[in-house]
């Protein structure tokens, strides 16, 4: 599960006021919920795009800190995809990136840089 933070001064609930509807628009009908760090996340068991097997997404609430977006994309093995499904792979990447950009206000490069900084700042790493 990856957690994404928002840009400075922005809040997830302002960027996406209706998480449930937004998730359904991007990925398909929500079939279940799953708990993660005390927050209920939405599960899309049969996403619209055949590249995805399952998607878990939602808001993780932290007391005293800004909420974060938690996302876990389960994707099918590319070797198992047929020719038509391979064409959907580009759409899957676009859907992920567009959703994350809308939610966080950060493009793919900014999200990667942020993840690198959070790993570099983590004192629990053994070198």
């Amino acid at each position: 599960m990856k957690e994404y933070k928002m840009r400075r001064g922005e809040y997830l609930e302002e960027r996406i006021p209706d998480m449930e509807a937004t998730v359904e628009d991007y990925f398909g009908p929500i079939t279940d919920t799953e708990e993660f760090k005390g927050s209920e996340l939405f599960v899309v068991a049969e996403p619209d795009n055949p590249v995805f097997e399952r998607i878990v997404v939602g808001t993780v609430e932290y007391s005293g800190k800004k909420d974060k977006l938690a996302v876990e994309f389960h994707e099918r093995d590319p070797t198992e995809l047929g020719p038509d499904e391979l064409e959907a792979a580009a759409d899957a990447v676009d859907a992920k990136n567009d959703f994350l950009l809308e939610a966080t206000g950060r493009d793919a490069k900014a999200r990667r840089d942020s993840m690198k900084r959070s790993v570099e700042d983590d004192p629990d790493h053994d070198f």
Side-chain angles (χ1 to χ4, degrees):
M1 184 78 62
K2 288 186 180 179
E3 291 185 44
Y4 297 91
K5 54 186 176 180
M6 307 311 108
R7 290 189 304 195
R8 186 179 306 272
E10 293 186 357
Y11 296 89
L12 182 56
E13 60 272 7
E14 292 171 355
R15 295 194 62 81
I16 299 185
D18 187 351
M19 181 65 74
E20 185 174 359
T22 303
V23 168
E24 287 182 337
D25 286 346
Y26 276 97
F27 305 113
I30 293 170
T31 55
D32 200 3
T33 60
E34 191 174 286
E35 187 176 326
F36 178 73
K37 294 186 177 181
S39 297
E40 287 292 315
L41 305 183
F42 300 114
V43 176
V44 181
E46 295 180 19
D48 292 341
N49 190 305
V51 173
F52 298 120
E53 285 183 340
R54 181 173 186 262
I55 300 169
V56 181
V57 61
T59 304
V60 179
E61 297 175 5
Y62 291 97
S63 63
K65 294 192 321 189
K66 285 180 16 177
D67 296 346
K68 291 185 179 182
L69 174 72
V71 182
E72 188 169 51
F73 294 103
H74 298 267
E75 297 179 14
R76 293 176 50 201
D77 183 345
T79 60
E80 296 174 2
L81 299 176
D84 293 339
E85 295 167 328
L86 281 174
E87 290 180 18
D91 293 337
V93 170
D94 289 345
K96 283 193 317 190
N97 283 330
D98 291 349
F99 173 76
L100 292 170
L101 177 61
E102 181 177 341
T104 66
R106 296 171 177 221
D107 63 12
K109 182 180 182 323
R111 290 191 307 269
R112 275 192 307 275
D113 291 345
S114 177
M115 290 283 189
K116 284 181 193 174
R117 281 192 303 278
S118 68
V119 169
E120 290 168 357
D121 295 343
D122 189 356
D124 294 335
H125 280 74
D126 294 331
F127 291 102

